[in-house]
Structures are given as structure tokens and as C-alpha cells.
């Protein structure tokens, strides 16, 4: 898949092969205690268009949307995926956001992963398991649109400047019937963590 638009994106297709990716998808799908995706902001009832869990090292807190994301421990499975990605990239992560797109009707809207907790230079590794989905990119200044397809087992690395220049989304796609789990491994900076309350995107 073509990442020519964005030198700050590195795509490792088939980081896990199809058999291993299917196995990981199934195990995560079953073992994750997926929370309710309804939450309220300023008294308004909202629905997150996907399911989500957040896991982090002790002391790392990432708060938004009335505690929609409770910090959970690392399961042995999540830890082992983290370790494999860390050794491959030679980079350490202290947290992961796990998104379950139950079908093509689940999505994530336009945003950058540029929350203050991630610091000025966020380095994020994103693993796709399950159904292939379009990963759309929109340049912040020119509004140029590009896209990639992220397929089962693909690992996408978003190097720091990517978040400065581009927004991304996984658009709704009614032609997709299968589920997809995406794990974005991140490094939250503890010092800033409790000072800045984070107002993250809600869709
Ligand atoms: O599902 C994906 O590929 C992207 C998820 C994402 O952008 C996020 O959780 O911040
Ligand atoms: Mn993101």
C-alpha cells in the first residue's frame, strides 16, 4: 500500500501473518471486557461509534469524556504483543488504546493523536487485526486527502511529524461486514499526565 504522501508513515504489511492475526483477533475479541460505549458530556448522552479499552503502566492516566476510558492493566496477551512490537521497532511504549470496530458501521472521525499527554513528538505504532479498513489522511493546511488500506496483521508507524501535518480517520464503510481490532501503542509522558486534563475527540 502506498505511503508516498507521508514520509512520516511507515507501513509494515503482514507484521503478523494471516493465521497469527486471526488468532490474535479472536483471543482479544473474547478476552477484552468491552465496556459500554455510551457516555455523557455536559449532561448530553453520546455514543462512541466503536468499543474501546485503554491499558497502561501503573501511574499512567489518560482521562477524557467523563472517564469513558478507565485505565486497565496489561493482560498477558496485550503485553506479549507490545513486547514483540517494541523489539521490532526498538522503542518502548507504556500504553495502548484498543479499538473494536464491530462492523463497517463503526468508525473513528477526523483527528490527530496530539493530546498533551503524548508530548510534542508522539511516536505511535498501530496494529490492525481483522477486517481491512480504509485509513484516510487529510492534510491540515492543504486539505489534501490520501488513504491507505490497513489489512489484517499490518503494523503502521506514525512518526512524530505525522500528527503535526495530518489528521486521520477510519471512515464508516457499509460494505465491510467483519470486525476489526486496532491497537495503538503510545507513550504517555507521566510528568504532564496529571496536570493537563485532556479533551479528546468524541467520535
Ligand atoms: O483504527 C485505526 O486504525 C485508528 C485508530 C485511531 O486513530 C485512534 O484510536 O486514535
Ligand atoms: Mn488516532
Amino acid at each position: 500500500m502506498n505511503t508516498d504522501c507521508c514520509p512520516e508513515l511507515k507501513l509494515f504489511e503482514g507484521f503478523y501473518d494471516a493465521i497469527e492475526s486471526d488468532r490474535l483477533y479472536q483471543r482479544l475479541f473474547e478476552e477484552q471486557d468491552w465496556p459500554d460505549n455510551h457516555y455523557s458530556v455536559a449532561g448530553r448522552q453520546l455514543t462512541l461509534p466503536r468499543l474501546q479499552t485503554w491499558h497502561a503502566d501503573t501511574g499512567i492516566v489518560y482521562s477524557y469524556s467523563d472517564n469513558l476510558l478507565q485505565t486497565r492493566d496489561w493482560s498477558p496477551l496485550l503485553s506479549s504483543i507490545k513486547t514483540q512490537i517494541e523489539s521490532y521497532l526498538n522503542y518502548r511504549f507504556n500504553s495502548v488504546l484498543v479499538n473494536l470496530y464491530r462492523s463497517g458501521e463503526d468508525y473513528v472521525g477526523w483527528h490527530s493523536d496530539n493530546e498533551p499527554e503524548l508530548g510534542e513528538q508522539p511516536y505511535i505504532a498501530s496494529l490492525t487485526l481483522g477486517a481491512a479498513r480504509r485509513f484516510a489522511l487529510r492534510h491540515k493546511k492543504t486539505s489534501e486527502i490520501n488513504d491507505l488500506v490497513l489489512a489484517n496483521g499490518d503494523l503502521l508507524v506514525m512518526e512524530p511529524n505525522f500528527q503535526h501535518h495530518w489528521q486521520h480517520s477510519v471512515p464508516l464503510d457499509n460494505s465491510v461486514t467483519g470486525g476489526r481490532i486496532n491497537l495503538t501503542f503510545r507513550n504517555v509522558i507521566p510528568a504532564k499526565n496529571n496536570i493537563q486534563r485532556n479533551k479528546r475527540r468524541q467520535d
Side-chain angles (χ1 to χ4, degrees), residues 49-50 107-112 168-171 201 203:
R50 61 191 178 281
Y107 63 93
V108 63
W110 289 114
H111 68 280
S112 297
H168 55 277
S169 68
V170 175
R201 66 195 178 277
D203 65 356

Side-chain angles (χ1 to χ4, degrees), residues 50 52 62 97-101 107-109 111-113 115 124 126-128 133-135 150 156 158 163 168-170 180-184 186 200-201:
R50 61 191 178 281
Q52 210 170 52
Y62 200 57
L97 183 64
V98 184
N99 281 307
L100 170 64
Y101 303 84
Y107 63 93
V108 63
H111 68 280
S112 297
D113 295 327
E115 291 83 13
I124 297 174
S126 163
L127 176 69
T128 289
R133 291 288 294 261
R134 180 171 164 241
F135 184 77
L150 296 180
L156 178 72
M158 297 182 259
Q163 308 298 337
H168 55 277
S169 68
V170 175
R180 169 177 184 267
I181 294 177
N182 175 263
L183 300 95
T184 45
R186 299 153 189 251
R200 266 175 70 102
R201 66 195 178 277

Side-chain angles (χ1 to χ4, degrees), residues 17-197:
D17 66 24
I19 291 173
E20 181 62 1
S21 302
D22 289 349
R23 195 182 69 89
L24 291 173
Y25 176 90
Q26 207 49 43
R27 284 185 63 195
L28 282 172
F29 184 81
E30 282 161 16
E31 84 165 26
Q32 291 291 98
D33 179 19
W34 301 105
D36 190 3
N37 59 334
H38 298 97
Y39 61 101
S40 61
V41 172
R44 279 182 62 219
Q45 289 297 313
L46 301 169
T47 306
L48 193 75
R50 61 191 178 281
L51 304 184
Q52 210 170 52
T53 61
W54 167 252
H55 308 255
D57 292 357
T58 310
I60 302 294
V61 183
Y62 200 57
S63 56
Y64 84 101
S65 306
D66 290 351
N67 291 323
L68 181 63
L69 285 191
Q70 310 274 342
T71 304
R72 296 157 182 244
D73 289 337
W74 293 95
S75 67
L77 179 57
L78 285 173
S79 281
S80 80
I81 298 172
K82 174 168 97 81
T83 305
Q84 288 169 41
I85 291 177
E86 285 178 337
S87 337
Y88 188 73
L89 298 176
N90 196 22
Y91 192 88
R92 289 263 306 132
F93 300 99
N94 62 12
S95 51
V96 66
L97 183 64
V98 184
N99 281 307
L100 170 64
Y101 303 84
R102 294 159 291 182
S103 71
E105 288 182 18
D106 278 354
Y107 63 93
V108 63
W110 289 114
H111 68 280
S112 297
D113 295 327
N114 57 0
E115 291 83 13
E117 290 98 325
L118 298 174
E120 284 297 307
Q121 299 291 306
Y123 180 90
I124 297 174
S126 163
L127 176 69
T128 289
L129 301 169
R133 291 288 294 261
R134 180 171 164 241
F135 184 77
L137 317 170
R138 181 167 73 186
H139 195 274
K140 289 186 186 179
K141 283 219 176 88
T142 64
S143 297
E144 172 193 340
I145 301 268
N146 279 291
D147 52 33
L148 314 172
V149 172
L150 296 180
N152 196 18
D154 287 354
L155 179 68
L156 178 72
V157 173
M158 297 182 259
E159 292 182 346
N161 282 333
F162 177 71
Q163 308 298 337
H164 298 309
H165 300 138
W166 297 87
Q167 292 186 310
H168 55 277
S169 68
V170 175
L172 189 149
D173 182 346
N174 284 320
S175 69
V176 176
T177 51
R180 169 177 184 267
I181 294 177
N182 175 263
L183 300 95
T184 45
F185 292 91
R186 299 153 189 251
N187 197 24
V188 169
I189 298 168
K192 286 193 178 173
N193 199 35
N194 291 325
I195 302 167
Q196 309 245 19
R197 293 258 331 156

Side-chain angles (χ1 to χ4, degrees), residues 8-23:
E8 312 93 340
L9 281 183
K10 303 276 179 303
L11 180 61
F12 303 96
E13 290 177 275
F15 177 77
Y16 288 115
D17 66 24
I19 291 173
E20 181 62 1
S21 302
D22 289 349
R23 195 182 69 89

